[in-house]
Amino acid sequence: MAETDKNTRILELHTMLTRGECLRKKDLAQRFGVTEKSIQRDIEDLRDFFTRSGEPRVLAYDAKERAYVLRADKALALTNSEVLAVAKILLESRSMVKDEMFPILDKLVRCCTPKESLKQVQSLIANEKFHYVEPHHGKAFVERLWVLGTAVEKQRVLEIAYHRTHKNDTVTRRIQPVGILFSEYYFYLAAFIEGIDKQECFDNPEDKSPTIYRVDKIEKLKVTAEHFSVPYKDRFQEGEMRKRIQFMYGGELQRIRFAYTGPSIEAVLDRLPTAKIEKQTENGWICTAEVFGKGIDMWLKSQEPYVRLL
């Protein structure tokens, strides 16, 4: 066949590698009408490209296959076990519509090597993908997460239209975004409201914690050119708040003390990361915990009759 130009060959070889195929010099030389030395130079160029691009994969020679293959760089890439674990967590989260969830899963699974491992992980998650139930809101929002995250980092004021579930209405707000959180199927934005009468609108006007917004319920979003500043000592820390907030209900910080008589104290300690065992009794445990807001009431009710406030 006629000789194929170098750029076309490089692109086709790159495509073959990313599909998990092997590169054999003799076969490729015949396919493209060039010498094996030309193919070897193409392979070296691709190897250099993968090294310089920061890709978590390297182009290596597989003696068993007698071919060049794309392998995960062990220093950068996820192991096959890690890929499977993350894929399972994503599916169980049910946090995104299929059009956003499945491409992420597919990209993640393609990190598996060799090809047999990729097929094995695909098989292990295939049933869950087939029966995947999307969140009922049916909205795509992943791109918006990046916009919100950038606004948090750059401390940019946002203007939003937000649909409130409990009142079934839409309100407009100017807010100062300070963090993004995830809990039980939904992503949330933590933000302080500008220009609101706390005495009129808040159950507790003295509450200094941020308001919590479900990201999928933000109907309109505008990032303004205005900046806000928060002193370092007062900066919002998602990790600390996440340990203390239940069901994403805002509210003031409170300390609770309770008796637990159920079968698994580990489940309680995992559900309430700030919980500490004060002492063990004949019937169970006495614990304390720091929590934000009213969401803890829902959890306490769900644990009856094993949990009793003291």
PDB file of all heavy atoms in Angstrom, residues 271-307:
ATOM      1  N   ARG A 271     -21.467   7.453  61.546  1.00  0.00           N
ATOM      2  CA  ARG A 271     -22.522   8.398  61.142  1.00  0.00           C
ATOM      3  C   ARG A 271     -22.310   9.762  61.770  1.00  0.00           C
ATOM      4  O   ARG A 271     -22.620  10.789  61.164  1.00  0.00           O
ATOM      5  CB  ARG A 271     -23.904   7.849  61.571  1.00  0.00           C
ATOM      6  CG  ARG A 271     -25.066   8.634  60.954  1.00  0.00           C
ATOM      7  CD  ARG A 271     -25.050   8.429  59.464  1.00  0.00           C
ATOM      8  NE  ARG A 271     -26.123   9.103  58.795  1.00  0.00           N
ATOM      9  CZ  ARG A 271     -26.063  10.351  58.336  1.00  0.00           C
ATOM     10  NH1 ARG A 271     -24.975  11.072  58.498  1.00  0.00           N
ATOM     11  NH2 ARG A 271     -27.087  10.892  57.704  1.00  0.00           N
ATOM     12  N   LEU A 272     -21.773   9.791  62.990  1.00  0.00           N
ATOM     13  CA  LEU A 272     -21.495  11.039  63.704  1.00  0.00           C
ATOM     14  C   LEU A 272     -19.998  11.110  63.957  1.00  0.00           C
ATOM     15  O   LEU A 272     -19.519  10.668  65.009  1.00  0.00           O
ATOM     16  CB  LEU A 272     -22.260  11.094  65.028  1.00  0.00           C
ATOM     17  CG  LEU A 272     -23.780  10.921  64.965  1.00  0.00           C
ATOM     18  CD1 LEU A 272     -24.366  10.861  66.372  1.00  0.00           C
ATOM     19  CD2 LEU A 272     -24.428  12.040  64.174  1.00  0.00           C
ATOM     20  N   PRO A 273     -19.230  11.654  63.022  1.00  0.00           N
ATOM     21  CA  PRO A 273     -17.767  11.624  63.143  1.00  0.00           C
ATOM     22  C   PRO A 273     -17.222  12.307  64.393  1.00  0.00           C
ATOM     23  O   PRO A 273     -16.094  12.025  64.797  1.00  0.00           O
ATOM     24  CB  PRO A 273     -17.293  12.341  61.872  1.00  0.00           C
ATOM     25  CG  PRO A 273     -18.407  12.158  60.892  1.00  0.00           C
ATOM     26  CD  PRO A 273     -19.654  12.212  61.725  1.00  0.00           C
ATOM     27  N   THR A 274     -17.983  13.224  64.995  1.00  0.00           N
ATOM     28  CA  THR A 274     -17.492  13.891  66.209  1.00  0.00           C
ATOM     29  C   THR A 274     -17.893  13.139  67.475  1.00  0.00           C
ATOM     30  O   THR A 274     -17.539  13.555  68.576  1.00  0.00           O
ATOM     31  CB  THR A 274     -18.049  15.324  66.307  1.00  0.00           C
ATOM     32  OG1 THR A 274     -19.485  15.281  66.397  1.00  0.00           O
ATOM     33  CG2 THR A 274     -17.643  16.163  65.104  1.00  0.00           C
ATOM     34  N   ALA A 275     -18.652  12.041  67.335  1.00  0.00           N
ATOM     35  CA  ALA A 275     -19.118  11.297  68.503  1.00  0.00           C
ATOM     36  C   ALA A 275     -17.954  10.654  69.249  1.00  0.00           C
ATOM     37  O   ALA A 275     -17.011  10.143  68.640  1.00  0.00           O
ATOM     38  CB  ALA A 275     -20.127  10.235  68.089  1.00  0.00           C
ATOM     39  N   LYS A 276     -18.050  10.684  70.562  1.00  0.00           N
ATOM     40  CA  LYS A 276     -17.050  10.058  71.418  1.00  0.00           C
ATOM     41  C   LYS A 276     -17.757   9.233  72.485  1.00  0.00           C
ATOM     42  O   LYS A 276     -18.789   9.648  73.012  1.00  0.00           O
ATOM     43  CB  LYS A 276     -16.156  11.101  72.075  1.00  0.00           C
ATOM     44  CG  LYS A 276     -15.289  11.874  71.077  1.00  0.00           C
ATOM     45  CD  LYS A 276     -14.424  12.898  71.781  1.00  0.00           C
ATOM     46  CE  LYS A 276     -13.554  13.651  70.778  1.00  0.00           C
ATOM     47  NZ  LYS A 276     -12.714  14.679  71.448  1.00  0.00           N
ATOM     48  N   ILE A 277     -17.209   8.079  72.746  1.00  0.00           N
ATOM     49  CA  ILE A 277     -17.779   7.230  73.799  1.00  0.00           C
ATOM     50  C   ILE A 277     -17.336   7.760  75.155  1.00  0.00           C
ATOM     51  O   ILE A 277     -16.141   7.860  75.436  1.00  0.00           O
ATOM     52  CB  ILE A 277     -17.332   5.769  73.628  1.00  0.00           C
ATOM     53  CG1 ILE A 277     -17.839   5.216  72.298  1.00  0.00           C
ATOM     54  CG2 ILE A 277     -17.840   4.911  74.790  1.00  0.00           C
ATOM     55  CD1 ILE A 277     -17.318   3.822  71.978  1.00  0.00           C
ATOM     56  N   GLU A 278     -18.317   8.115  75.953  1.00  0.00           N
ATOM     57  CA  GLU A 278     -18.029   8.592  77.307  1.00  0.00           C
ATOM     58  C   GLU A 278     -17.790   7.417  78.253  1.00  0.00           C
ATOM     59  O   GLU A 278     -16.856   7.409  79.046  1.00  0.00           O
ATOM     60  CB  GLU A 278     -19.200   9.451  77.802  1.00  0.00           C
ATOM     61  CG  GLU A 278     -18.954  10.176  79.086  1.00  0.00           C
ATOM     62  CD  GLU A 278     -20.135  11.061  79.444  1.00  0.00           C
ATOM     63  OE1 GLU A 278     -20.282  12.130  78.805  1.00  0.00           O
ATOM     64  OE2 GLU A 278     -20.917  10.681  80.342  1.00  0.00           O
ATOM     65  N   LYS A 279     -18.656   6.418  78.103  1.00  0.00           N
ATOM     66  CA  LYS A 279     -18.471   5.203  78.893  1.00  0.00           C
ATOM     67  C   LYS A 279     -19.359   4.097  78.338  1.00  0.00           C
ATOM     68  O   LYS A 279     -20.335   4.351  77.628  1.00  0.00           O
ATOM     69  CB  LYS A 279     -18.795   5.444  80.369  1.00  0.00           C
ATOM     70  CG  LYS A 279     -20.248   5.797  80.655  1.00  0.00           C
ATOM     71  CD  LYS A 279     -20.463   5.981  82.152  1.00  0.00           C
ATOM     72  CE  LYS A 279     -21.920   6.341  82.470  1.00  0.00           C
ATOM     73  NZ  LYS A 279     -22.140   6.517  83.917  1.00  0.00           N
ATOM     74  N   GLN A 280     -19.012   2.857  78.669  1.00  0.00           N
ATOM     75  CA  GLN A 280     -19.821   1.706  78.287  1.00  0.00           C
ATOM     76  C   GLN A 280     -20.599   1.217  79.498  1.00  0.00           C
ATOM     77  O   GLN A 280     -20.071   1.152  80.600  1.00  0.00           O
ATOM     78  CB  GLN A 280     -18.943   0.570  77.749  1.00  0.00           C
ATOM     79  CG  GLN A 280     -19.733  -0.579  77.164  1.00  0.00           C
ATOM     80  CD  GLN A 280     -18.877  -1.561  76.387  1.00  0.00           C
ATOM     81  OE1 GLN A 280     -17.668  -1.361  76.254  1.00  0.00           O
ATOM     82  NE2 GLN A 280     -19.488  -2.608  75.862  1.00  0.00           N
ATOM     83  N   THR A 281     -21.887   0.917  79.276  1.00  0.00           N
ATOM     84  CA  THR A 281     -22.749   0.460  80.355  1.00  0.00           C
ATOM     85  C   THR A 281     -23.144  -0.996  80.117  1.00  0.00           C
ATOM     86  O   THR A 281     -22.757  -1.601  79.115  1.00  0.00           O
ATOM     87  CB  THR A 281     -24.013   1.327  80.439  1.00  0.00           C
ATOM     88  OG1 THR A 281     -24.813   1.106  79.257  1.00  0.00           O
ATOM     89  CG2 THR A 281     -23.662   2.812  80.527  1.00  0.00           C
ATOM     90  N   GLU A 282     -23.948  -1.528  81.015  1.00  0.00           N
ATOM     91  CA  GLU A 282     -24.419  -2.904  80.854  1.00  0.00           C
ATOM     92  C   GLU A 282     -25.291  -3.059  79.617  1.00  0.00           C
ATOM     93  O   GLU A 282     -25.324  -4.116  78.979  1.00  0.00           O
ATOM     94  CB  GLU A 282     -25.220  -3.337  82.088  1.00  0.00           C
ATOM     95  CG  GLU A 282     -24.385  -3.472  83.353  1.00  0.00           C
ATOM     96  CD  GLU A 282     -25.231  -3.945  84.520  1.00  0.00           C
ATOM     97  OE1 GLU A 282     -26.450  -4.161  84.315  1.00  0.00           O
ATOM     98  OE2 GLU A 282     -24.676  -4.098  85.620  1.00  0.00           O
ATOM     99  N   ASN A 283     -26.008  -1.982  79.262  1.00  0.00           N
ATOM    100  CA  ASN A 283     -26.952  -2.045  78.141  1.00  0.00           C
ATOM    101  C   ASN A 283     -26.411  -1.476  76.835  1.00  0.00           C
ATOM    102  O   ASN A 283     -27.003  -1.670  75.773  1.00  0.00           O
ATOM    103  CB  ASN A 283     -28.233  -1.292  78.507  1.00  0.00           C
ATOM    104  CG  ASN A 283     -28.926  -1.903  79.698  1.00  0.00           C
ATOM    105  OD1 ASN A 283     -28.992  -3.123  79.825  1.00  0.00           O
ATOM    106  ND2 ASN A 283     -29.442  -1.060  80.593  1.00  0.00           N
ATOM    107  N   GLY A 284     -25.325  -0.738  76.901  1.00  0.00           N
ATOM    108  CA  GLY A 284     -24.821  -0.108  75.684  1.00  0.00           C
ATOM    109  C   GLY A 284     -23.731   0.902  75.971  1.00  0.00           C
ATOM    110  O   GLY A 284     -22.796   0.629  76.720  1.00  0.00           O
ATOM    111  N   TRP A 285     -23.892   2.119  75.397  1.00  0.00           N
ATOM    112  CA  TRP A 285     -22.855   3.134  75.509  1.00  0.00           C
ATOM    113  C   TRP A 285     -23.479   4.502  75.774  1.00  0.00           C
ATOM    114  O   TRP A 285     -24.596   4.800  75.327  1.00  0.00           O
ATOM    115  CB  TRP A 285     -22.063   3.214  74.217  1.00  0.00           C
ATOM    116  CG  TRP A 285     -21.317   1.965  73.874  1.00  0.00           C
ATOM    117  CD1 TRP A 285     -20.018   1.668  74.146  1.00  0.00           C
ATOM    118  CD2 TRP A 285     -21.831   0.831  73.159  1.00  0.00           C
ATOM    119  NE1 TRP A 285     -19.688   0.437  73.677  1.00  0.00           N
ATOM    120  CE2 TRP A 285     -20.782  -0.106  73.063  1.00  0.00           C
ATOM    121  CE3 TRP A 285     -23.076   0.508  72.609  1.00  0.00           C
ATOM    122  CZ2 TRP A 285     -20.926  -1.331  72.431  1.00  0.00           C
ATOM    123  CZ3 TRP A 285     -23.218  -0.718  71.981  1.00  0.00           C
ATOM    124  CH2 TRP A 285     -22.161  -1.621  71.900  1.00  0.00           C
ATOM    125  N   ILE A 286     -22.747   5.348  76.480  1.00  0.00           N
ATOM    126  CA  ILE A 286     -23.101   6.758  76.647  1.00  0.00           C
ATOM    127  C   ILE A 286     -22.132   7.544  75.781  1.00  0.00           C
ATOM    128  O   ILE A 286     -20.906   7.386  75.897  1.00  0.00           O
ATOM    129  CB  ILE A 286     -22.978   7.214  78.116  1.00  0.00           C
ATOM    130  CG1 ILE A 286     -23.854   6.342  79.022  1.00  0.00           C
ATOM    131  CG2 ILE A 286     -23.354   8.697  78.234  1.00  0.00           C
ATOM    132  CD1 ILE A 286     -25.330   6.439  78.734  1.00  0.00           C
ATOM    133  N   CYS A 287     -22.667   8.398  74.888  1.00  0.00           N
ATOM    134  CA  CYS A 287     -21.828   9.124  73.930  1.00  0.00           C
ATOM    135  C   CYS A 287     -22.141  10.614  73.937  1.00  0.00           C
ATOM    136  O   CYS A 287     -23.233  11.034  74.337  1.00  0.00           O
ATOM    137  CB  CYS A 287     -22.046   8.593  72.521  1.00  0.00           C
ATOM    138  SG  CYS A 287     -21.692   6.841  72.302  1.00  0.00           S
ATOM    139  N   THR A 288     -21.184  11.399  73.468  1.00  0.00           N
ATOM    140  CA  THR A 288     -21.387  12.824  73.239  1.00  0.00           C
ATOM    141  C   THR A 288     -20.988  13.137  71.800  1.00  0.00           C
ATOM    142  O   THR A 288     -20.183  12.412  71.195  1.00  0.00           O
ATOM    143  CB  THR A 288     -20.545  13.681  74.192  1.00  0.00           C
ATOM    144  OG1 THR A 288     -19.152  13.376  73.983  1.00  0.00           O
ATOM    145  CG2 THR A 288     -20.913  13.418  75.648  1.00  0.00           C
ATOM    146  N   ALA A 289     -21.543  14.221  71.255  1.00  0.00           N
ATOM    147  CA  ALA A 289     -21.198  14.614  69.884  1.00  0.00           C
ATOM    148  C   ALA A 289     -21.509  16.085  69.676  1.00  0.00           C
ATOM    149  O   ALA A 289     -22.406  16.642  70.333  1.00  0.00           O
ATOM    150  CB  ALA A 289     -21.965  13.774  68.868  1.00  0.00           C
ATOM    151  N   GLU A 290     -20.778  16.717  68.758  1.00  0.00           N
ATOM    152  CA  GLU A 290     -21.064  18.083  68.330  1.00  0.00           C
ATOM    153  C   GLU A 290     -21.731  18.017  66.966  1.00  0.00           C
ATOM    154  O   GLU A 290     -21.233  17.334  66.058  1.00  0.00           O
ATOM    155  CB  GLU A 290     -19.780  18.908  68.226  1.00  0.00           C
ATOM    156  CG  GLU A 290     -19.194  19.308  69.562  1.00  0.00           C
ATOM    157  CD  GLU A 290     -18.002  20.237  69.384  1.00  0.00           C
ATOM    158  OE1 GLU A 290     -17.447  20.276  68.265  1.00  0.00           O
ATOM    159  OE2 GLU A 290     -17.631  20.911  70.352  1.00  0.00           O
ATOM    160  N   VAL A 291     -22.859  18.716  66.809  1.00  0.00           N
ATOM    161  CA  VAL A 291     -23.599  18.679  65.541  1.00  0.00           C
ATOM    162  C   VAL A 291     -24.150  20.056  65.213  1.00  0.00           C
ATOM    163  O   VAL A 291     -24.397  20.873  66.108  1.00  0.00           O
ATOM    164  CB  VAL A 291     -24.766  17.663  65.597  1.00  0.00           C
ATOM    165  CG1 VAL A 291     -24.241  16.249  65.727  1.00  0.00           C
ATOM    166  CG2 VAL A 291     -25.715  17.995  66.738  1.00  0.00           C
ATOM    167  N   PHE A 292     -24.353  20.304  63.908  1.00  0.00           N
ATOM    168  CA  PHE A 292     -24.979  21.538  63.456  1.00  0.00           C
ATOM    169  C   PHE A 292     -26.458  21.298  63.182  1.00  0.00           C
ATOM    170  O   PHE A 292     -26.838  20.276  62.603  1.00  0.00           O
ATOM    171  CB  PHE A 292     -24.332  22.028  62.154  1.00  0.00           C
ATOM    172  CG  PHE A 292     -23.112  22.873  62.340  1.00  0.00           C
ATOM    173  CD1 PHE A 292     -21.865  22.369  62.014  1.00  0.00           C
ATOM    174  CD2 PHE A 292     -23.203  24.155  62.832  1.00  0.00           C
ATOM    175  CE1 PHE A 292     -20.724  23.139  62.164  1.00  0.00           C
ATOM    176  CE2 PHE A 292     -22.079  24.938  62.992  1.00  0.00           C
ATOM    177  CZ  PHE A 292     -20.836  24.427  62.656  1.00  0.00           C
ATOM    178  N   GLY A 293     -27.285  22.232  63.582  1.00  0.00           N
ATOM    179  CA  GLY A 293     -28.657  22.300  63.113  1.00  0.00           C
ATOM    180  C   GLY A 293     -29.610  21.227  63.595  1.00  0.00           C
ATOM    181  O   GLY A 293     -29.349  20.484  64.537  1.00  0.00           O
ATOM    182  N   LYS A 294     -30.756  21.170  62.903  1.00  0.00           N
ATOM    183  CA  LYS A 294     -31.870  20.308  63.311  1.00  0.00           C
ATOM    184  C   LYS A 294     -31.841  18.929  62.657  1.00  0.00           C
ATOM    185  O   LYS A 294     -32.655  18.070  62.986  1.00  0.00           O
ATOM    186  CB  LYS A 294     -33.196  20.996  62.959  1.00  0.00           C
ATOM    187  CG  LYS A 294     -33.399  22.344  63.640  1.00  0.00           C
ATOM    188  CD  LYS A 294     -34.696  22.994  63.174  1.00  0.00           C
ATOM    189  CE  LYS A 294     -34.898  24.351  63.828  1.00  0.00           C
ATOM    190  NZ  LYS A 294     -36.144  25.010  63.352  1.00  0.00           N
ATOM    191  N   GLY A 295     -30.922  18.721  61.725  1.00  0.00           N
ATOM    192  CA  GLY A 295     -30.897  17.445  61.024  1.00  0.00           C
ATOM    193  C   GLY A 295     -30.660  16.269  61.949  1.00  0.00           C
ATOM    194  O   GLY A 295     -31.130  15.162  61.689  1.00  0.00           O
ATOM    195  N   ILE A 296     -29.976  16.510  63.051  1.00  0.00           N
ATOM    196  CA  ILE A 296     -29.710  15.435  64.001  1.00  0.00           C
ATOM    197  C   ILE A 296     -31.001  14.853  64.555  1.00  0.00           C
ATOM    198  O   ILE A 296     -31.071  13.668  64.893  1.00  0.00           O
ATOM    199  CB  ILE A 296     -28.797  15.948  65.148  1.00  0.00           C
ATOM    200  CG1 ILE A 296     -28.358  14.792  66.054  1.00  0.00           C
ATOM    201  CG2 ILE A 296     -29.511  17.032  65.953  1.00  0.00           C
ATOM    202  CD1 ILE A 296     -27.533  13.759  65.371  1.00  0.00           C
ATOM    203  N   ASP A 297     -32.051  15.677  64.628  1.00  0.00           N
ATOM    204  CA  ASP A 297     -33.337  15.187  65.147  1.00  0.00           C
ATOM    205  C   ASP A 297     -33.883  14.062  64.279  1.00  0.00           C
ATOM    206  O   ASP A 297     -34.464  13.095  64.784  1.00  0.00           O
ATOM    207  CB  ASP A 297     -34.357  16.329  65.209  1.00  0.00           C
ATOM    208  CG  ASP A 297     -33.936  17.422  66.187  1.00  0.00           C
ATOM    209  OD1 ASP A 297     -33.154  17.108  67.108  1.00  0.00           O
ATOM    210  OD2 ASP A 297     -34.393  18.565  66.033  1.00  0.00           O
ATOM    211  N   MET A 298     -33.695  14.183  62.965  1.00  0.00           N
ATOM    212  CA  MET A 298     -34.165  13.141  62.046  1.00  0.00           C
ATOM    213  C   MET A 298     -33.402  11.847  62.280  1.00  0.00           C
ATOM    214  O   MET A 298     -33.985  10.765  62.277  1.00  0.00           O
ATOM    215  CB  MET A 298     -33.994  13.612  60.597  1.00  0.00           C
ATOM    216  CG  MET A 298     -34.788  14.837  60.234  1.00  0.00           C
ATOM    217  SD  MET A 298     -34.402  15.442  58.578  1.00  0.00           S
ATOM    218  CE  MET A 298     -34.906  14.039  57.583  1.00  0.00           C
ATOM    219  N   TRP A 299     -32.089  11.965  62.475  1.00  0.00           N
ATOM    220  CA  TRP A 299     -31.300  10.771  62.707  1.00  0.00           C
ATOM    221  C   TRP A 299     -31.685  10.098  64.022  1.00  0.00           C
ATOM    222  O   TRP A 299     -31.849   8.885  64.089  1.00  0.00           O
ATOM    223  CB  TRP A 299     -29.810  11.116  62.716  1.00  0.00           C
ATOM    224  CG  TRP A 299     -28.952   9.907  62.955  1.00  0.00           C
ATOM    225  CD1 TRP A 299     -28.577   8.971  62.032  1.00  0.00           C
ATOM    226  CD2 TRP A 299     -28.407   9.478  64.207  1.00  0.00           C
ATOM    227  NE1 TRP A 299     -27.812   7.991  62.627  1.00  0.00           N
ATOM    228  CE2 TRP A 299     -27.687   8.274  63.959  1.00  0.00           C
ATOM    229  CE3 TRP A 299     -28.431   9.987  65.494  1.00  0.00           C
ATOM    230  CZ2 TRP A 299     -27.012   7.591  64.965  1.00  0.00           C
ATOM    231  CZ3 TRP A 299     -27.759   9.308  66.504  1.00  0.00           C
ATOM    232  CH2 TRP A 299     -27.066   8.119  66.238  1.00  0.00           C
ATOM    233  N   LEU A 300     -31.868  10.900  65.054  1.00  0.00           N
ATOM    234  CA  LEU A 300     -32.240  10.348  66.358  1.00  0.00           C
ATOM    235  C   LEU A 300     -33.568   9.590  66.270  1.00  0.00           C
ATOM    236  O   LEU A 300     -33.718   8.500  66.818  1.00  0.00           O
ATOM    237  CB  LEU A 300     -32.340  11.465  67.394  1.00  0.00           C
ATOM    238  CG  LEU A 300     -31.012  12.129  67.790  1.00  0.00           C
ATOM    239  CD1 LEU A 300     -31.270  13.376  68.615  1.00  0.00           C
ATOM    240  CD2 LEU A 300     -30.123  11.158  68.554  1.00  0.00           C
ATOM    241  N   LYS A 301     -34.516  10.176  65.529  1.00  0.00           N
ATOM    242  CA  LYS A 301     -35.820   9.533  65.383  1.00  0.00           C
ATOM    243  C   LYS A 301     -35.703   8.216  64.615  1.00  0.00           C
ATOM    244  O   LYS A 301     -36.369   7.223  64.939  1.00  0.00           O
ATOM    245  CB  LYS A 301     -36.800  10.472  64.665  1.00  0.00           C
ATOM    246  CG  LYS A 301     -38.230   9.963  64.646  1.00  0.00           C
ATOM    247  CD  LYS A 301     -39.162  11.020  64.066  1.00  0.00           C
ATOM    248  CE  LYS A 301     -40.605  10.536  64.051  1.00  0.00           C
ATOM    249  NZ  LYS A 301     -41.121  10.222  65.395  1.00  0.00           N
ATOM    250  N   SER A 302     -34.811   8.216  63.607  1.00  0.00           N
ATOM    251  CA  SER A 302     -34.645   7.003  62.791  1.00  0.00           C
ATOM    252  C   SER A 302     -33.989   5.870  63.588  1.00  0.00           C
ATOM    253  O   SER A 302     -34.088   4.709  63.202  1.00  0.00           O
ATOM    254  CB  SER A 302     -33.801   7.307  61.549  1.00  0.00           C
ATOM    255  OG  SER A 302     -32.436   7.521  61.893  1.00  0.00           O
ATOM    256  N   GLN A 303     -33.331   6.200  64.692  1.00  0.00           N
ATOM    257  CA  GLN A 303     -32.616   5.193  65.473  1.00  0.00           C
ATOM    258  C   GLN A 303     -33.414   4.672  66.670  1.00  0.00           C
ATOM    259  O   GLN A 303     -32.912   3.844  67.432  1.00  0.00           O
ATOM    260  CB  GLN A 303     -31.284   5.768  65.972  1.00  0.00           C
ATOM    261  CG  GLN A 303     -30.300   6.112  64.877  1.00  0.00           C
ATOM    262  CD  GLN A 303     -29.923   4.900  64.043  1.00  0.00           C
ATOM    263  OE1 GLN A 303     -29.483   3.890  64.565  1.00  0.00           O
ATOM    264  NE2 GLN A 303     -30.085   5.017  62.731  1.00  0.00           N
ATOM    265  N   GLU A 304     -34.640   5.171  66.831  1.00  0.00           N
ATOM    266  CA  GLU A 304     -35.463   4.675  67.940  1.00  0.00           C
ATOM    267  C   GLU A 304     -35.722   3.177  67.760  1.00  0.00           C
ATOM    268  O   GLU A 304     -35.889   2.703  66.633  1.00  0.00           O
ATOM    269  CB  GLU A 304     -36.805   5.431  67.979  1.00  0.00           C
ATOM    270  CG  GLU A 304     -36.653   6.899  68.350  1.00  0.00           C
ATOM    271  CD  GLU A 304     -37.995   7.631  68.322  1.00  0.00           C
ATOM    272  OE1 GLU A 304     -38.994   7.039  67.848  1.00  0.00           O
ATOM    273  OE2 GLU A 304     -38.061   8.794  68.763  1.00  0.00           O
ATOM    274  N   PRO A 305     -35.719   2.366  68.822  1.00  0.00           N
ATOM    275  CA  PRO A 305     -35.603   2.757  70.231  1.00  0.00           C
ATOM    276  C   PRO A 305     -34.196   2.644  70.792  1.00  0.00           C
ATOM    277  O   PRO A 305     -34.001   2.602  71.996  1.00  0.00           O
ATOM    278  CB  PRO A 305     -36.512   1.716  70.915  1.00  0.00           C
ATOM    279  CG  PRO A 305     -36.267   0.480  70.088  1.00  0.00           C
ATOM    280  CD  PRO A 305     -36.044   0.938  68.665  1.00  0.00           C
ATOM    281  N   TYR A 306     -33.187   2.611  69.884  1.00  0.00           N
ATOM    282  CA  TYR A 306     -31.823   2.372  70.343  1.00  0.00           C
ATOM    283  C   TYR A 306     -31.113   3.614  70.888  1.00  0.00           C
ATOM    284  O   TYR A 306     -30.117   3.507  71.584  1.00  0.00           O
ATOM    285  CB  TYR A 306     -30.993   1.784  69.210  1.00  0.00           C
ATOM    286  CG  TYR A 306     -31.519   0.487  68.675  1.00  0.00           C
ATOM    287  CD1 TYR A 306     -31.876   0.349  67.338  1.00  0.00           C
ATOM    288  CD2 TYR A 306     -31.648  -0.618  69.510  1.00  0.00           C
ATOM    289  CE1 TYR A 306     -32.379  -0.850  66.850  1.00  0.00           C
ATOM    290  CE2 TYR A 306     -32.150  -1.833  69.026  1.00  0.00           C
ATOM    291  CZ  TYR A 306     -32.508  -1.937  67.696  1.00  0.00           C
ATOM    292  OH  TYR A 306     -32.992  -3.136  67.225  1.00  0.00           O
ATOM    293  N   VAL A 307     -31.626   4.808  70.532  1.00  0.00           N
ATOM    294  CA  VAL A 307     -30.962   6.046  70.949  1.00  0.00           C
ATOM    295  C   VAL A 307     -31.907   6.860  71.823  1.00  0.00           C
ATOM    296  O   VAL A 307     -33.097   7.018  71.508  1.00  0.00           O
ATOM    297  CB  VAL A 307     -30.544   6.889  69.730  1.00  0.00           C
ATOM    298  CG1 VAL A 307     -29.991   8.242  70.170  1.00  0.00           C
ATOM    299  CG2 VAL A 307     -29.495   6.155  68.910  1.00  0.00           C
TER     300      VAL A 307
END
